[in-house]
Amino acid sequence: MIDLRLLREDPELIRASQRLRGESTDLVDALLRADEERRAATQRFEALRAEQNSLSKQVPRASGDEKAALLARTKELAGEVKAAAAATSAADDTLRQAQLAVPNIVQDGVPPGGEDDFVVLREVGDRPVIENPKDHLEIGEALKAIDTERGAKVSGSRFYFLTGVGALLQLGMLQMAINQAVEHGFTPSITPSMVKPESMEGTGFLGAHASEVYRLEADDLYLVGTSEVALAAYHASEILDLEAGPMRYAGWSSCYRREAGSYGKDVRGILRVHQFDKVEMFSFCKPEQAAEEHQKLLAMEEEMLAKVEIPYRVIDVAAGDLGSSATRKFDCEAWVPSQERYREVTSTSNCTTFQARRLNIRYRDADGKPQTAATLNGTLATTRWLIPILENHQQPDGSVRVPKALQPYLGGRDVFEPAR
RNA sequence: GGAGGACUCGCCUAGUGGCCGAUGGCGCCGGUCUUGAAAACCGGUAUGGGGAAACUCAUCGUGGGUUCGAAUCCCACGUCCUCCGCCA
């Protein structure tokens, strides 16, 4: 949610941001109107309520005719107050809806435009020279590491089994991610993968992407698409102590995505699946620290990518592709030899106070006054990483070299041989 | 699944229809005293909204209801605890 004070002071700032995103400025004007109306409704209600309170106080002291007159008036007032209260709460709802409709303000420097208008910040690592590269599924099947056929048999399309070295590789990689996070002072966390509607709503995943989310009707719960949801909601309605610096978490969870509307897209292998595992970083900090923290999360991602020895590039995502909560977003895209292109493997977003405002997450400023905190998130490793790991390290004989940093997590193995 | 009990300001607690945004203790912050500290004493110590301000409104798990008036009465829900049953 946008800060309403900022909206009142400088609506043009928000209109400009909307234009950068390629979205309508009407939403901003609707929000301004809703804000205006809510304040008017509030004032009407409060005037009536104040009168009611003061007359009510006189009732016990009055007697006889005076009391009867007072009661008659207060009785009448009670009805008016009730009506005014209803109008106020309707105005509150309208305001909230209008506020939810306006995305975060785009940070200065974000490239304008849509999905294809990102700016490449850097390319890191040398792409391996591989003749007729096999894709990850072919490699994974040969290693008996990935089984999408049985995934489909058991659960349907976009499901898979990781078996043998595939299972070990994923566990090792995620363990390595957790260890790195711990080294950097993050609190390792294993989080619920089912959450209440308000947690889902609070993190902003029930907006434009509601159709991406699995809902458990019978229990009124949602399956999370990332542990960001649980980690963000973890401190909901709390006042955090951020004096010692940002509070950082690394959440390990399974993630669930419906992938509605992506029929026929990336259907082969495990690039786009309904369920995967992920270690996600999440930071709570003061707003003035957020941009620096964003760089820190990006550096964490790059450190992981270096450890698995994958060539990648970092992109500065364009305004129109930011999603509603982010003010800026950097993706790391790994080189996928079989596709001869880069594919997203991490994403880190600076949500400034946008998400925390919804979730009512605050800290105390130098004057001891509560202020809305900033939140940021970023990917440290996911199942999808297995794709560039397998493909970039494939050998002509069908084996796969294990990156050095990963070897300790795999009992010292330095190569995966195809199963006989 | 069934039967009970509880939910108040960081923590513990008082409060059974108007004088309660709410008592007291602990903790915390500031001050006095002290070479310094402790102790003692004094003062302060929820959050949000509206308003230029004076001020005002809301919040006692959540949402409804009764009433001129609700922390207090009624209903529903949630969470936690105890017991019984059932399943790991």
Side-chain angles (χ1 to χ4, degrees):
Chain A
M1 295 193 297
I2 285 292
D3 180 4
L4 291 177
R5 281 177 209 280
L6 181 62
L7 171 85
R8 281 174 221 151
E9 276 166 27
D10 193 358
E12 193 45 44
L13 179 75
I14 299 163
R15 288 197 195 96
S17 167
Q18 285 295 89
R19 283 184 215 107
L20 264 180
R21 283 175 174 271
E23 290 188 38
S24 167
T25 56
D26 292 351
L27 293 174
V28 179
D29 295 306
L31 181 54
L32 278 166
R33 264 197 312 281
D35 178 47
E36 201 71 44
E37 274 159 29
R38 189 198 61 122
R39 281 186 289 164
T42 301
Q43 280 169 38
R44 278 193 294 275
F45 163 75
E46 286 188 0
L48 286 168
R49 186 70 171 145
E51 188 182 356
Q52 184 187 40
N53 284 345
S54 100
L55 291 187
S56 277
K57 277 190 187 126
Q58 296 171 35
V59 169
R61 291 198 296 269
S63 59
D65 288 350
E66 199 190 342
K67 184 159 192 166
L70 262 178
L71 282 178
R73 173 61 187 143
T74 48
K75 205 155 202 162
E76 189 181 290
L77 255 179
E80 292 174 38
V81 166
K82 204 165 189 174
T88 302
S89 96
D92 278 342
D93 288 348
T94 306
L95 176 65
R96 185 162 176 93
Q97 288 314 310
Q99 203 173 0
L100 290 176
V102 176
N104 202 355
I105 302 164
V106 173
Q107 188 180 317
D108 275 345
V110 170
E115 196 177 342
D116 300 322
D117 298 312
F118 58 84
V119 168
V120 176
L121 297 180
R122 56 185 166 274
E123 296 194 41
V124 180
D126 297 321
R127 301 179 200 169
V129 181
I130 305 171
E131 248 176 83
N132 302 316
K134 296 185 189 110
D135 79 2
H136 72 279
L137 185 57
E138 196 179 342
I139 300 165
E141 285 177 339
L143 298 178
K144 293 220 184 300
I146 301 174
D147 188 339
T148 54
E149 243 173 74
R150 291 197 177 90
K153 179 176 78 176
V154 173
S155 301
S157 73
R158 296 199 191 284
F159 284 95
Y160 56 95
F161 284 74
L162 294 180
T163 56
V165 294
L168 294 175
L169 178 58
Q170 166 154 306
L171 286 168
M173 174 185 69
L174 295 177
Q175 179 73 47
M176 183 167 79
I178 286 285
N179 283 1
Q180 179 183 311
V182 170
E183 277 164 27
H184 282 84
F186 289 64
T187 303
S189 315
I190 293 172
T191 61
S193 42
M194 291 181 231
V195 298
K196 297 200 270 187
E198 59 257 45
S199 302
M200 209 65 185
E201 168 96 64
T203 40
F205 284 94
L206 290 184
H209 298 292
S211 64
E212 264 302 290
V213 177
Y214 283 105
R215 170 147 189 253
L216 304 177
E217 183 86 35
D219 301 285
D220 201 17
L221 288 168
Y222 291 92
L223 289 178
V224 298
T226 160
S227 59
E228 173 192 348
V229 177
L231 289 173
Y234 185 62
H235 283 307
S237 297
E238 294 181 21
I239 298 178
L240 307 178
D241 183 0
L242 296 177
E243 278 318 296
M247 293 175 71
R248 303 184 172 109
Y249 295 88
W252 177 325
S253 78
S254 290
C255 305
Y256 303 89
R257 299 188 182 180
R258 294 188 65 230
E259 295 297 343
S262 65
Y263 306 108
K265 208 167 156 187
D266 301 319
V267 285
R268 188 173 156 82
I270 57 167
L271 186 72
R272 192 177 293 276
V273 289
H274 289 309
Q275 176 184 334
F276 58 90
D277 284 73
K278 180 158 71 127
V279 172
E280 174 86 353
M281 299 176 284
F282 199 91
S283 296
F284 300 88
C285 69
K286 299 180 185 180
E288 62 268 26
Q289 300 169 327
E292 188 188 337
E293 185 69 5
H294 201 193
Q295 290 300 325
K296 158 112 186 161
L297 297 188
L298 179 57
M300 288 287 289
E301 294 175 350
E302 295 196 58
E303 187 178 330
M304 271 297 290
L305 286 163
K307 284 178 182 165
V308 294
E309 300 172 36
I310 292 171
Y312 65 93
R313 68 179 183 186
V314 182
I315 69 168
D316 196 347
V317 174
D321 200 25
L322 283 178
S324 66
S325 297
T327 185
R328 188 166 214 170
K329 178 150 108 183
F330 302 116
D331 287 358
C332 293
E333 298 183 324
W335 179 251
V336 177
S338 68
Q339 299 188 3
E340 297 191 290
R341 57 183 283 217
Y342 288 102
R343 301 297 308 243
E344 177 186 331
V345 286
T346 73
S347 184
T348 178
S349 294
N350 179 357
C351 297
T352 58
T353 58
F354 188 85
Q355 194 175 51
R357 188 166 289 106
R358 277 190 194 195
L359 289 165
N360 190 28
I361 301 169
R362 294 170 295 172
Y363 70 99
R364 289 190 192 279
D365 65 15
D367 301 325
K369 234 178 97 66
Q371 302 287 354
T372 303
T375 61
L376 302 97
N377 62 80
T379 319
L380 210 45
T382 79
T383 301
R384 185 182 272 187
W385 283 40
L386 302 183
I387 296 167
I389 290 175
L390 292 176
E391 292 199 13
N392 283 287
H393 300 316
Q394 63 180 297
Q395 309 297 310
D397 64 359
S399 67
V400 173
R401 187 176 67 79
V402 177
K404 207 169 186 67
L406 261 176
Q407 290 172 11
Y409 296 92
L410 291 160
R413 289 178 76 160
D414 57 1
V415 67
F416 294 144
E417 303 282 359
R420 282 180 294 122

